[in-house]
Amino acid sequence: MGSDKVKLLGAWQSPYVMRARIALHMKSVEYEYEEEDLYVAKSDLLLKSNPVYKKVPVFIHADRPVSESLVILQYINEVWASGPAILPSDAYDRAIARFWAAYIDDKWFPHLRASVLSGGEEAKSAAEKTAEGLVLLEEAFTMCSKGHKFFGGERIGYLDIALGSFLGWIRVTEQRANASLIDESKTPKLSEWAQHFCADVVVKDVMHQTDKLFEFAKLLAAKHKSSGEN
């Protein structure tokens, strides 16, 4: 089954798409990447493959689509089981990794998103809450890493991918809010972890370029402001 054709529908700016790409690189899976223009016209394949959310990433394996980035990570880990493990082998460690990944997406990321899209005091407040969440994740790193380089040990794993995919957007937030979110004084372990993560061979070719992402963020914030969204 693992030898069947693989395609990934994505958008270059998406941290969620980056998650899938990192996992595929970890497992040395060859795949076809198809860029989607989410703001002009979504492809028929995307709408057909993910009719519920109509968003990327969509992972298509043997003509069968799988949606939602964390679900895709788990799918890749199970199908290409012979490669480096993405999820921990211990059941409790897997549960903890899934817990913190859910925290990142459901509780922490909304603050990061608000810090990018909003302005003034609202952006400042959102950046502060983003930083508070990173302090909490610093504590999670201490617990999960057990003294190793990554959340997952000596290799990048599930929780590393879940948080590391946002590093480009964290840098954008730091520039836009003129604030330091990950640094040696506030989150020394995450600061060192981020350097290891970005330098890893499975990550460095897909990590966002900060300047390019910053320009995209300005356009996104302007669009958000003109639409009057909350």
Side-chain angles (χ1 to χ4, degrees), residues 7-8 14 39 47 55 91 102 109 125 142 147-148 173 205 212 219:
K7 177 181 285 191
L8 179 65
S14 170
Y39 299 96
L47 299 176
K55 63 182 182 180
F109 173 68
S125 175
T142 300
H148 295 289
T173 299
D205 288 341
K212 183 178 179 182
L219 295 174

Side-chain angles (χ1 to χ4, degrees), residues 3 7-8 15 23 26 28-29 32 37 53 77 82 85 90 97 102 115-116 135 141 161 163 176 181-182 184 187 222:
S3 63
K7 177 181 285 191
L8 179 65
M26 281 183 65
S28 299
V29 177
E32 177 186 348
D37 190 335
Y53 295 113
N77 188 61
S82 60
D90 179 78
S115 69
V116 172
V135 171
F141 179 83
I161 299 172
L163 180 60
R176 287 180 60 82
L181 299 180
I182 295 183
E184 294 181 357
T187 53

Side-chain angles (χ1 to χ4, degrees), residues 99-147:
F99 170 86
W100 283 111
Y103 166 79
I104 289 166
D105 281 5
D106 299 340
K107 298 294 185 181
W108 175 79
F109 173 68
H111 298 307
L112 180 66
R113 180 179 185 273
S115 69
V116 172
L117 295 181
S118 58
E121 288 301 315
E122 184 180 352
K124 182 179 178 181
S125 175
E128 289 173 352
K129 290 177 181 177
T130 301
E132 290 171 5
L134 287 169
V135 171
L136 190 59
L137 287 165
E138 171 96 351
E139 297 174 5
F141 179 83
T142 300
M143 177 181 63
C144 295
S145 67
K146 302 174 184 177

Side-chain angles (χ1 to χ4, degrees), residues 21-193:
R21 300 191 76 175
I22 291 171
L24 290 166
H25 291 181
M26 281 183 65
K27 296 288 189 176
S28 299
V29 177
E30 293 186 4
Y31 65 100
E32 177 186 348
Y33 178 72
E34 191 168 303
E35 182 78 10
E36 290 282 339
D37 190 335
L38 304 178
Y39 299 96
V40 177
K42 298 177 182 179
S43 73
D44 291 339
L45 180 59
L46 172 59
L47 299 176
K48 176 184 176 182
S49 301
N50 190 0
V52 176
Y53 295 113
K54 300 179 177 64
K55 63 182 182 180
V56 295
V58 175
F59 180 76
I60 303 174
H61 180 211
D63 295 322
R64 298 186 298 181
V66 181
S67 301
E68 295 299 289
S69 63
L70 295 179
V71 176
I72 291 170
L73 293 186
Q74 295 175 56
Y75 179 86
I76 291 172
N77 188 61
E78 292 176 11
V79 173
W80 286 273
S82 60
I86 296 173
L87 280 148
S89 58
D90 179 78
Y92 180 77
D93 290 344
R94 284 198 304 276
I96 294 301
R98 286 171 173 145
F99 170 86
W100 283 111
Y103 166 79
I104 289 166
D105 281 5
D106 299 340
K107 298 294 185 181
W108 175 79
F109 173 68
H111 298 307
L112 180 66
R113 180 179 185 273
S115 69
V116 172
L117 295 181
S118 58
E121 288 301 315
E122 184 180 352
K124 182 179 178 181
S125 175
E128 289 173 352
K129 290 177 181 177
T130 301
E132 290 171 5
L134 287 169
V135 171
L136 190 59
L137 287 165
E138 171 96 351
E139 297 174 5
F141 179 83
T142 300
M143 177 181 63
C144 295
S145 67
K146 302 174 184 177
H148 295 289
K149 286 173 31 176
F150 298 107
F151 283 93
E154 284 302 305
R155 289 178 178 267
I156 284 174
Y158 183 76
L159 193 47
D160 299 287
I161 299 172
L163 180 60
S165 62
F166 289 112
L167 282 172
W169 282 102
I170 289 173
R171 291 168 181 162
V172 168
T173 299
E174 290 177 328
Q175 290 188 26
R176 287 180 60 82
N178 193 26
S180 180
L181 299 180
I182 295 183
D183 62 31
E184 294 181 357
S185 63
K186 298 176 183 177
T187 53
K189 293 180 180 179
L190 281 186
S191 179
E192 187 175 3
W193 162 82

